[in-house]
Amino acid sequence: MHWIESISRTPAGRLELVGRNLDGHVKHFSPSQFPHQLPGSHTKLRVSLSSDAHRVTPVDDYLALKGWKHLSGSAQRLHRFQADSLEIWVPSQALFKMLFSTMRRTYDAIFSGRGLHEVAMPSHSEDPMALLPGLTHSNDGWAHAVRMRERLFWLLTSASATRSWRHVFRNAVDGVLDAPLPDGAFELRLTGNRLDGVFLATRATLAGVACSDLRLRDGTLLEPMQLDFQGQDHSKRQTDKGKRVERLDDASPWCLTDEQFHHLLDWMFQNKLLQDRGHYDEHLQQTLRRHLDLLRAKFLGRCVWDALPCSPQERACVQARLYKLQRAGHWERLSKLLFSSP
C-alpha cells in the first residue's frame, strides 16, 4: 500500500506515479497500476455528500492526523466534505478510485491526454446509455467497459464529470495528482478512520450520483437523473425479473400506510422540506405519497430505476425530487424515517 508522493516521466516520456509505503519503500507505478488502497482502513461508513458542501485544501492536515508526517503531500490535495457534524476528508488518491473506479484502461486514457473517448463513446441509439467502442479497444477491455456503462455514461455526458477527467492530465503534467469534483449529490461507501469529528477516508467507492448536467451528443439536455453504479450493467437490468417491482398497491410491502405517510408529511412541514401547508391539497399529497412509495421500492427493494412500476415521465419526476432533497441536504434525515417504516 503506497502513498503517491510525486509524478515523474519515464525515459520514453510517459507519466508515472511515484509512491512510498509506511516503511519508506519507494515504488514506481504506471497509470494502469494506480494504487487505490491506502493503509489504515478500519471503519466503514455509508454517507450522502454534495458537491455544494465541498472544498479543497492542502493534504498536510490529513497526513498529520494519520501520523504519516514522513510522507510528502506535495502531489496530492485534500477534498473536504461536510456531513452534518462529521467532516469527511478524502485525499486525491482515494478520490480517483471514487470517480474512475478500478478499470485500468480508464487510467491509461486519462493520464495519456487522449481522454476517455479512447475507451468508449456515447452512441446515437435511442437508448441514451448505449456505448460504442472507443478509438482503441480490446475485446477484454470493451467487455469491462460494458459492465461499467453507467459510470462511463456519466463521465462522458456530464459536463462537470468530463471537466474532471480532462483536468487529470493537465494537473499531472504539473506534478499534481488531482481532479475537480463533478457537480452532484454522491452516495459513497467509505473505509477509513474516525478521529476528532473527522473521517479520514483511505478508500472511497461511488455507489451512485444524482446530477443535472447530462447532455447527449446531439446537444439534448437530459432531465436530472440518479445513476446507480453498484449493480449489473444497464441492458441486463432491464430484463432482470428478480429485481423488478411489479406493482404498488395496498398489498405491496413498499407502500406507506396512512399513518406512516401523515407522520412523514408532518415531519416534512415541521422541518421546512415542504412550504405553505394551506396550499398543499389532496392531489399534491397523493403525488408526494406515490413518489415516496416509489423511493421505498427503489431502495428497500434494491431494484433499478427502470424496474419500477411507473412511466419514464413519472420516474424522471421521482429522480428530480430525490436530487433536490440530496442537494438541499435533507435526504439523509428523511431516508432514515422513510426506510425505517415497516
Side-chain angles (χ1 to χ4, degrees):
M1 297 182 184
H2 289 74
W3 171 266
I4 296 174
E5 287 193 320
S6 62
I7 299 175
S8 63
R9 287 191 180 271
T10 67
R14 297 186 180 90
L15 292 173
E16 65 176 2
L17 311 169
V18 182
R20 185 186 303 271
N21 67 13
L22 298 185
D23 295 326
H25 176 262
V26 175
K27 183 176 180 180
H28 293 248
F29 299 88
S30 69
S32 65
Q33 298 171 322
F34 192 97
H36 298 103
Q37 184 68 53
L38 293 171
S41 301
H42 302 297
T43 304
K44 297 185 182 299
L45 177 69
R46 293 188 179 188
V47 65
S48 300
L49 300 175
S50 171
S51 57
D52 291 337
H54 162 263
R55 60 194 177 100
V56 182
T57 67
V59 79
D60 298 340
D61 289 344
Y62 179 92
L63 293 175
L65 275 184
K66 292 290 289 184
W68 298 346
K69 297 181 180 180
H70 62 292
L71 299 179
S72 170
S74 61
Q76 299 197 42
R77 302 294 180 263
L78 182 61
H79 293 256
R80 303 188 184 210
F81 300 85
Q82 193 64 45
D84 295 328
S85 59
L86 184 65
E87 193 169 14
I88 311 293
W89 290 5
V90 182
S92 300
Q93 196 167 337
L95 182 79
F96 272 50
K97 161 64 171 62
M98 165 188 154
L99 295 179
F100 309 122
S101 187
T102 58
M103 184 177 177
R104 289 182 296 174
R105 292 198 63 248
T106 298
Y107 291 86
D108 279 336
I110 61 179
F111 275 96
S112 69
R114 295 186 295 271
L116 278 184
H117 292 109
E118 186 177 81
V119 179
M121 294 184 292
S123 169
H124 283 299
S125 165
E126 292 181 0
D127 177 3
M129 287 191 187
L131 297 175
L132 294 174
L135 301 177
T136 61
H137 70 281
S138 63
N139 289 337
D140 289 343
W142 178 239
H144 195 169
V146 170
R147 290 195 295 272
M148 286 182 57
R149 61 184 301 180
E150 286 204 8
R151 184 184 295 270
L152 286 172
F153 168 77
W154 171 60
L155 290 170
L156 290 165
T157 58
S158 161
S160 58
T162 298
R163 182 182 71 244
S164 183
W165 58 259
R166 286 192 186 279
H167 273 77
V168 170
F169 177 72
R170 300 175 194 174
N171 289 336
V173 168
D174 293 331
V176 176
L177 179 75
D178 197 37
L181 184 73
D183 298 332
F186 306 97
E187 295 292 329
L188 296 182
R189 297 178 182 176
L190 304 174
T191 305
N193 309 89
R194 187 166 182 165
L195 182 65
D196 297 333
V198 175
F199 190 90
L200 305 168
T202 55
R203 186 178 178 90
T205 299
L206 183 58
V209 59
C211 54
S212 61
D213 63 345
L214 301 172
R215 192 178 294 274
L216 301 182
R217 291 177 68 187
D218 62 5
T220 302
L221 181 65
L222 299 180
E223 292 289 331
M225 188 177 295
Q226 173 81 26
L227 296 171
D228 178 9
F229 300 148
Q230 288 299 293
Q232 301 168 321
D233 70 85
H234 183 70
S235 59
K236 288 179 68 177
R237 289 181 193 179
Q238 291 181 325
T239 58
D240 186 355
K241 299 297 183 181
K243 291 293 185 180
R244 182 171 294 278
V245 176
E246 299 295 343
R247 67 182 191 279
L248 285 178
D249 55 30
D250 292 341
S252 170
W254 319 123
C255 289
L256 296 163
T257 66
D258 291 344
E259 181 180 356
Q260 291 165 353
F261 172 68
H262 285 105
H263 175 71
L264 276 170
L265 188 64
D266 290 341
W267 183 88
M268 293 175 77
F269 277 114
Q270 291 169 7
N271 289 274
K272 309 300 183 184
L273 276 69
L274 299 173
Q275 305 293 330
D276 199 356
R277 186 162 192 157
H279 289 83
Y280 216 78
D281 59 21
E282 184 68 22
H283 173 71
L284 291 176
Q285 290 188 31
Q286 290 305 314
T287 300
L288 172 63
R289 183 169 183 170
R290 168 76 175 174
H291 289 179
L292 294 176
D293 287 344
L294 287 167
L295 287 171
R296 280 171 55 86
K298 164 73 176 78
F299 290 101
L300 295 180
R302 297 183 180 277
C303 72
V304 296
W305 288 107
D306 288 347
L308 292 174
C310 60
S311 67
Q313 293 79 10
E314 185 176 32
R315 182 169 65 245
C317 291
V318 175
Q319 290 173 328
R321 186 186 292 275
L322 173 63
Y323 175 71
K324 289 178 181 178
L325 287 168
Q326 290 174 323
R327 290 272 294 188
H330 298 315
W331 174 244
E332 187 172 1
R333 292 183 299 153
L334 176 62
S335 62
K336 291 178 181 178
L337 290 175
L338 183 62
F339 299 153
S340 64
S341 302

